[in-house]
Amino acid sequence: SDPSPLQDFCVADLKSPLLINGYPCKNPSKITSKDFFYEGLTQNPNNYDSLGVDLSQVSVNQFPALNTMGMSMNRVAFQPGGLNPPHIHPRATELSLVTEGKIFVGWISTDYVMYWKIMSAGELFIIPPGLVHFQLNVGKGNARFYASFNSQKPGIQILGQALFNVTPMAIPDEVLTKALLVNQTIIDLIKSKFAQH
Ligand code: GLV
Ligand code: MN
């Protein structure tokens, strides 16, 4: 969904002080084959977070040749029980290939219908742009999928964090208690969990 390129390539100059929508191009005279290949996913997942997920993003910031190409990838690896918690991508549709394990994939439409499947290696799923989705490893072993996005920088916003752990100030308690239909004690408890997280 990103704008179409007007040239063969525009490898991002991530250090440029110019502020534009995307990144300015590196000087084409400095471009070599190396710019168009990314080896970061040759390393096995080894950086699992507290929810048992290793998320390796390959957006324009990791792979500058993606600048203006309107595409990017993530590798998402799970330990047993690992959860990629409910989140959205503000700028992209997600098309993913499961390569290992058994993964409960769900997403929620704007009519609040959940579409879901327990997925195995070789299967694909599609998440419409901007909608809430999650993945849970429900198998006995590790699990993995590779996500592709139609944006060089899809962005990710995790719902729990957006509600309970933001700066420079928290969402007012009156907003949270009314929106979530619970009392202050429960809000305080969840906030304290996210603060330690
Ligand atoms: C998976 O949903 C991801 O965003 O990588
Ligand atoms: Mn996603």
Side-chain angles (χ1 to χ4, degrees):
S1 66
D2 295 350
S4 300
L6 303 177
Q7 50 214 346
D8 282 358
F9 57 81
C10 170
V11 176
D13 178 358
L14 299 177
K15 298 204 184 89
S16 166
L18 273 183
L19 300 177
I20 61 164
N21 187 19
Y23 292 99
C25 314
K26 260 172 81 172
N27 185 337
S29 70
K30 302 243 159 67
I31 299 294
T32 67
S33 291
K34 249 173 93 88
D35 285 284
F36 298 102
F37 298 88
Y38 179 77
E39 290 157 9
L41 294 184
T42 58
Q43 288 165 350
N44 283 326
N46 63 359
N47 194 17
Y48 293 98
D49 64 16
S50 60
L51 297 179
V53 167
D54 176 318
L55 176 67
S56 302
Q57 285 184 272
V58 191
S59 301
V60 65
N61 297 90
Q62 290 77 31
F63 188 7
L66 297 183
N67 194 42
T68 76
M69 296 293 149
M71 303 179 79
S72 61
M73 293 190 81
N74 282 354
R75 180 185 70 191
V76 190
F78 300 76
Q79 294 175 316
L83 173 68
N84 193 20
H87 65 276
I88 66 161
H89 305 287
R91 291 179 287 279
T93 310
E94 173 176 334
L95 173 63
S96 293
L97 169 66
V98 176
T99 58
E100 181 186 356
K102 293 245 170 302
I103 306 178
F104 185 126
V105 176
W107 63 270
I108 318 298
S109 76
T110 57
D111 293 324
Y112 302 99
V113 176
M114 184 168 80
Y115 297 90
W116 65 278
K117 185 178 196 301
I118 294 174
M119 303 195 61
S120 305
E123 299 177 357
L124 295 169
F125 62 89
I126 182 86
I127 311 288
L131 296 183
V132 174
H133 60 285
F134 60 87
Q135 296 95 7
L136 174 67
N137 179 6
V138 293
K140 289 201 165 62
N142 289 343
R144 187 184 294 197
F145 71 90
Y146 289 83
S148 58
F149 300 96
N150 63 341
S151 169
Q152 67 180 31
K153 193 167 182 172
I156 181 164
Q157 188 173 56
I158 300 166
L159 271 64
Q161 188 174 346
L163 287 176
F164 296 107
N165 192 12
V166 295
T167 59
M169 63 172 277
I171 295 179
D173 287 328
E174 187 179 357
V175 174
L176 294 173
T177 53
K178 287 179 173 169
L180 299 177
L181 315 174
V182 295
N183 65 32
Q184 187 65 46
T185 313
I186 294 176
I187 297 299
D188 289 343
L189 175 64
I190 302 177
K191 271 190 189 163
S192 75
K193 300 282 183 191
F194 273 92
Q196 300 157 17
H197 189 66

